[in-house]
Amino acid sequence: RKEVEQDPGPFNVPEGATVAFNCTYSNSASQSFFWYRQDCRKEPKLLMSVYSSGNEDGRFTAQLNRASQYISLLIRDSKLSDSATYLCVVRSNDYKLSFGAGTTVTVRA
Amino acid sequence: DAGITQSPRYKITETGRQVTLMCHQTWSHSYMFWYRQDLGHGLRLIYYSAAADITDKGEVPDGYVVSRSKTENFPLTLESATRSQTSVYFCASTGDGMSMDEQFFGPGTRLTVL
């Protein structure tokens, strides 16, 4: 079983729409959670960390459910520039990260 | 320029040849990582290093060798390339303490083994 599993999508949404997706993780000892963004097989970049109480960064909202071991990301008012692959990432009690395979989002005009 | 760089960016080689992928970072980060990315698998950790002269295996180390004689460099060598090693390779680094939550990635090396 993969340590982090994501729905690969693609999620095709019009500009202005809201899109949400989540991932599940298998290691209950995971300590830190993140969403990374990757454009067209370029290098991944940190989008946001995910905190237990949930957090927002502009149009992006991340939630963590430790009991069910899933993490979600919601994008409001989608922009064309939000088209990318979103990687769900978890860290256990060391410095190594485990990556999901990514969820592809395409925002159309 | 500050940052993390990889070379070459693209490489085509033949089965059985030795290939070395270079990674250089200017932040003096302690930790460095090598990943490979293949469709459907996400990023998989090949090797990592906590400091100069300290390296350890990740999830998929077979067929690869690393070294870390200097903090800023972390080369990855494919001793005898195989077709299954065709992939995109990313190097990453991170700092200590709280800053280790974010890994900074190089631009990647696209390797094709014929």
Side-chain angles (χ1 to χ4, degrees):
Chain A
R1 181 185 175 187
K2 291 182 181 179
E3 195 161 340
V4 181
E5 301 214 42
Q6 294 183 247
D7 179 347
F11 289 76
N12 294 303
V13 299
E15 270 188 297
T18 295
V19 58
F21 43 89
N22 56 32
C23 78
T24 58
Y25 60 95
S26 61
N27 186 353
S28 59
S30 296
Q31 305 256 330
S32 304
F33 309 89
F34 315 91
W35 285 102
Y36 275 67
R37 172 190 169 128
Q38 187 174 27
D39 295 301
C40 296
R41 302 279 274 177
K42 292 186 177 179
E43 71 271 26
K45 294 181 180 178
L46 179 65
L47 176 66
M48 61 193 299
S49 300
V50 186
Y51 303 118
S52 297
S53 55
N55 49 296
E56 285 189 10
D57 184 359
R59 297 179 293 105
F60 297 83
T61 300
Q63 297 279 354
L64 169 64
N65 185 317
R66 284 188 182 270
S68 302
Q69 294 182 207
Y70 78 80
I71 308 152
S72 65
L73 182 66
L74 181 145
I75 307 173
R76 280 188 299 278
D77 188 23
S78 298
K79 311 293 184 189
L80 294 175
S81 57
D82 295 333
S83 297
T85 297
Y86 293 86
L87 308 177
C88 179
V89 183
V90 304
R91 181 166 71 85
S92 298
N93 58 356
D94 59 14
Y95 44 85
K96 291 179 285 183
L97 301 180
S98 296
F99 289 79
T103 297
T104 298
V105 173
T106 302
V107 182
R108 62 183 187 274
Chain B
D1 289 345
I4 183 166
T5 57
Q6 292 183 234
S7 62
R9 295 292 313 280
Y10 301 89
K11 177 73 176 178
I12 299 174
T13 191
E14 295 177 337
T15 302
R17 291 191 181 264
Q18 183 179 81
V19 178
T20 296
L21 309 183
M22 304 302 292
C23 178
H24 176 79
Q25 52 103 356
T26 60
W27 293 302
S28 299
H29 281 166
S30 298
Y31 300 96
M32 296 188 74
F33 309 84
W34 273 107
Y35 297 90
R36 60 177 290 173
Q37 187 175 35
D38 306 287
L39 286 174
H41 285 280
L43 283 95
R44 292 183 290 175
L45 183 64
I46 303 171
Y47 268 95
Y48 60 98
S49 169
D53 298 321
I54 301 174
T55 62
D56 209 345
K57 296 178 180 179
E59 182 185 353
V60 289
D62 293 344
Y64 303 95
V65 174
V66 293
S67 62
R68 187 121 181 253
S69 57
K70 292 184 178 181
T71 300
E72 61 267 28
N73 296 325
F74 191 36
L76 176 74
T77 297
L78 287 66
E79 294 186 294
S80 178
T82 65
R83 289 196 180 91
S84 65
Q85 293 177 310
T86 292
S87 187
V88 179
Y89 291 85
F90 288 103
C91 178
S93 71
T94 192
D96 298 313
M98 289 298 292
S99 64
M100 74 169 59
D101 275 351
E102 181 173 4
Q103 288 189 10
F104 296 89
F105 286 80
T109 295
R110 281 157 177 75
L111 176 67
T112 301
V113 183
L114 302 176

